[in-house]
């Protein structure tokens, strides 16, 4: 395809075709509309740019009105194939510094293998049992 024909087809797609100047007429109304539109675009540009460049910091404090010992129920599912169920515990801390250690009373543990397939029945700790660790001097030579 010759380049002249390609340019011709490309020009035919132009949505904003130029009207010959001898077919157009400048009017005072058109001038006012053009000035107002340009001013409005400039104002919007300045306002958006100043809003973008400004920094606004807000601080919000919400008082927790729940009862003193009300706890939030959180459900999650995590899989640790290389961790024995007896060593799986949960420690919880909040933004105020309250820490609860070894919360296993409400955990449901399911033994799994390395492929995440069940290896036994799920069980829940009814009483908190401290996990059994290796003796410290076992690894010391």
């Amino acid at each position: 395809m010759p380049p002249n024909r390609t340019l011709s087809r490309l020009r035919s797609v132009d949505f904003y075709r130029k009207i010959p100047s001898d077919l157009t007429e400048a009017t005072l109304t058109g001038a006012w509309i053009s000035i107002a539109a340009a001013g409005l675009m400039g104002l919007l540009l300045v306002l958006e740019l100043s809003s973008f460049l400004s920094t606004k910091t807000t601080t919000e404090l919400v008082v927790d009105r729940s009862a003193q010992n009300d706890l939030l129920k959180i459900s999650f599912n995590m899989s640790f194939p290389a961790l024995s169920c007896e060593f799986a515990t949960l420690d919880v801390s909040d933004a105020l510094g309250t820490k609860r250690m070894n919360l296993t009373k409400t955990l449901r543990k399911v033994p799994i293998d390395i492929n995440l397939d069940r290896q036994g029945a799920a069980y829940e700790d009814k009483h908190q049992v401290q996990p059994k660790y290796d003796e410290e001097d076992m690894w010391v030579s």
Side-chain angles (χ1 to χ4, degrees):
M1 202 184 259
N4 196 13
R5 186 176 238 187
T6 305
L7 290 176
S8 169
R9 284 193 178 183
L10 188 60
R11 284 189 189 118
S12 70
V13 179
D14 186 11
F15 295 132
Y16 305 102
R17 296 179 184 198
K18 260 191 170 176
I19 299 174
S21 60
D22 57 337
L23 297 178
T24 62
E25 180 180 331
T27 61
L28 190 57
T29 306
W32 281 114
I33 291 173
S34 297
I35 291 170
L40 182 63
M41 284 187 279
L43 177 68
L44 289 174
L45 175 73
V46 169
L47 291 175
E48 285 295 321
L49 187 63
S50 68
S51 175
F52 175 73
L53 294 176
S54 67
T55 303
K56 188 185 302 183
T57 304
T58 58
T59 303
E60 184 176 341
L61 178 65
V62 178
V63 178
D64 183 16
R65 297 185 186 271
S66 61
Q68 181 68 22
N69 291 327
D70 254 358
L71 298 177
L72 177 66
K73 180 181 179 181
I74 300 174
S75 299
F76 57 91
N77 182 6
M78 299 175 69
S79 299
F80 296 101
L83 181 67
S84 175
C85 288
E86 68 178 316
F87 295 112
T89 63
L90 177 67
D91 298 339
V92 178
S93 63
D94 64 11
L96 298 176
T98 304
K99 293 182 182 176
R100 293 182 176 208
M101 310 297 275
N102 198 17
L103 296 176
T104 58
K105 185 170 52 174
T106 57
L107 291 182
R108 188 174 62 125
K109 301 175 187 179
V110 180
I112 57 174
D113 64 3
I114 204 74
N115 298 321
L116 302 180
D117 296 326
R118 281 186 160 191
Q119 290 297 93
Y123 64 91
E124 297 178 11
D125 289 340
K126 296 301 178 194
H127 60 284
Q128 293 183 354
V129 177
Q130 295 297 325
K132 299 172 190 164
Y133 297 105
D134 289 338
E135 303 199 8
E136 284 186 25
D137 58 349
M138 179 179 171
W139 300 102
V140 179
S141 307

